Amino acid sequence: MPHAERPKTIVTRKLPDHVEARMTELFDVEFNAGDVPMTADQLKDAVARAEVFVPTVTDDITADILASAGPQLKLLANFGVGVDHIDLAAARAHDILVTNTPGVLTEDTADMVMALIISVPRRLAEGEKLVRAGEWQGWGPTGMLGHRVNGKRLGIVGMGRIGQAVARRARGFGIQVDYHNRRRLPEAVEQTLEANWRENLDDMLADIDILSINCPYTPDTHHLLNEKRLGLLGKDVYVINAARGEIIDEEALTDALEQGAIAGAGLDVYENEPHIGERLLALDNVVLLPHLGSATFEGREAMGDKVIANIRIWADGHRPPDQVLEGWA
Ligand code: 8YV
């Protein structure tokens, strides 16, 4: 059965102009022009009034927030692919569908991972800081040496869309690819990607030069890279994370970096965004980015278009194309 023709839609953050303009044409929509993340009370007020709610990664949609949902709230159309900030069981208990925006940010996120894979071993951020500080004394045969990436072995944890896009790029740079994923990829896909499945994560960690985290954050992947697993990495290994901060025990990672137990890290995500620990900020052997994975004009517009398509198709009485099911990861 079709839902309201212009469903009451509340969006928690400022979206690209094109997306907001189209939403205004189609829905009875409230935006957040100030773009300040909503407080818990504001989120509760919004879910109490909306038929469709559009959150982002900065909104913690807990069972407590959803307890305030009015019976009219039927669709949570997330702007973003990761839905770890949404209590899916609570949404289901309230009969609320959840959708996300898969596919359209794969290439941008993989580009950012690849940028970190190059930047950290080749010391791009350190070099840039040196130049800007006016401290560069000129070229020298042993100046600012880093590690070559060509010929090295990359271990990818999580071989979904983004992991596979990282593998394709890495092969272009002459990097060997191992991967750990709960499910092995079909042989034909493995062959195309030239990627080698490692059933045992710990064994893979002991064999690689660069580790890239590309799995979703779920209760199963909380602190997947903990102190013990960090201890399996060699001292020349680089750790890259553009997935979710909570997959790595950030304190243990900082210890390993401080002690020189690993060579460096490239991080786009953190355990308590936007807070980053002082110890991590003080390190030279890290590149720290502000959650930029999908931050392209093209990607964010495409994410908005997906949100709109999900709402439209749901409003017409159909199952939205990007419905997230429990056990999604
Ligand atoms: C998004 C992301 O920008 O989509 C995701 O899961 O991590 C980001 O790239 C963000 O989540 C928007 O909600």
Side-chain angles (χ1 to χ4, degrees):
M1 224 187 21
H3 295 273
E5 207 167 295
R6 288 172 59 81
K8 172 79 189 171
T9 301
I10 300 183
V11 181
T12 65
R13 299 294 300 271
K14 171 91 187 77
L15 300 183
D17 289 344
H18 148 91
V19 176
E20 291 198 345
R22 187 70 183 133
M23 282 183 143
T24 305
E25 283 169 16
L26 296 171
F27 314 131
D28 170 13
V29 62
E30 273 180 36
F31 297 115
N32 177 359
D35 199 29
V36 179
M38 289 183 176
T39 62
D41 282 344
Q42 288 171 324
L43 290 173
K44 285 179 181 175
D45 170 64
V47 297
R49 295 184 297 112
E51 289 178 272
V52 176
F53 188 56
V54 181
T56 75
V57 69
T58 54
D59 306 302
D60 220 358
I61 310 299
T62 60
D64 181 47
I65 300 289
L66 290 176
S68 297
Q72 80 295 333
L73 180 62
K74 290 288 171 224
L75 179 62
L76 236 153
N78 187 53
F79 182 87
V81 69
V83 289
D84 44 280
H85 55 292
I86 300 172
D87 188 325
L88 295 178
R92 191 176 51 136
H94 289 274
D95 217 7
I96 301 166
L97 293 185
V98 177
T99 59
N100 67 348
T101 62
V104 292
L105 41 73
T106 304
E107 304 303 325
D108 294 329
T109 307
D111 286 345
M112 196 55 75
V113 171
M114 205 59 220
L116 287 170
I117 289 175
I118 305 293
S119 300
V120 190
R122 295 302 305 275
R123 305 176 62 182
L124 257 60
E126 274 180 83
E128 214 260 353
K129 272 184 231 152
L130 186 82
V131 170
R132 280 185 192 274
E135 288 169 7
W136 185 41
Q137 305 291 332
W139 184 87
T142 56
M144 284 212 69
L145 303 187
H147 280 284
R148 174 185 292 165
V149 296
N150 183 278
K152 295 288 161 53
R153 186 168 289 276
L154 168 69
I156 298 178
V157 176
M159 203 57 152
R161 289 185 185 85
I162 296 172
Q164 292 182 35
V166 170
R168 282 196 299 276
R169 284 160 177 73
R171 289 301 296 135
F173 280 79
I175 297 171
Q176 306 299 311
V177 176
D178 281 8
Y179 76 96
H180 173 78
N181 199 46
R182 276 181 317 176
R183 281 179 296 274
R184 186 172 181 171
L185 297 178
E187 212 178 306
V189 180
E190 277 185 355
Q191 276 170 9
T192 309
L193 296 172
E194 298 179 286
N196 178 33
W197 185 53
R198 304 293 299 259
E199 184 167 11
N200 185 303
L201 172 61
D202 292 359
D203 287 351
M204 180 177 89
L205 295 178
D207 284 347
I208 54 176
D209 304 297
I210 304 163
L211 173 69
S212 177
I213 303 290
N214 295 109
C215 59
Y217 176 54
T218 68
D220 285 346
T221 62
H222 179 77
H223 285 189
L224 185 78
L225 194 63
N226 54 19
E227 186 185 349
K228 185 168 156 280
R229 290 211 168 99
L230 280 160
L232 300 172
L233 299 170
K235 66 171 185 31
D236 289 331
V237 172
Y238 296 93
V239 173
I240 309 297
N241 188 9
R244 283 292 181 270
E246 297 92 329
I247 301 169
I248 300 182
D249 178 341
E250 205 166 283
E251 286 294 309
L253 177 74
T254 308
D255 290 342
L257 288 161
E258 277 182 348
Q259 292 156 11
I262 59 171
L267 306 177
D268 189 38
V269 290
Y270 306 88
E271 274 204 78
N272 299 300
E273 292 180 17
H275 173 79
I276 303 177
E278 291 297 325
R279 290 196 301 137
L280 198 50
L281 287 170
L283 290 167
D284 279 334
N285 53 346
V286 293
V287 174
L288 305 173
L289 300 179
H291 201 144
L292 287 181
S294 68
T296 64
F297 293 110
E298 296 87 345
R300 292 286 160 83
E301 288 206 356
M303 287 161 69
D305 287 342
K306 273 212 161 247
V307 168
I308 291 169
N310 279 311
I311 300 173
R312 272 300 287 264
I313 292 168
W314 164 82
D316 282 349
H318 305 289
R319 185 171 289 283
D322 303 311
Q323 185 180 352
V324 177
L325 301 170
E326 257 180 279
W328 56 286

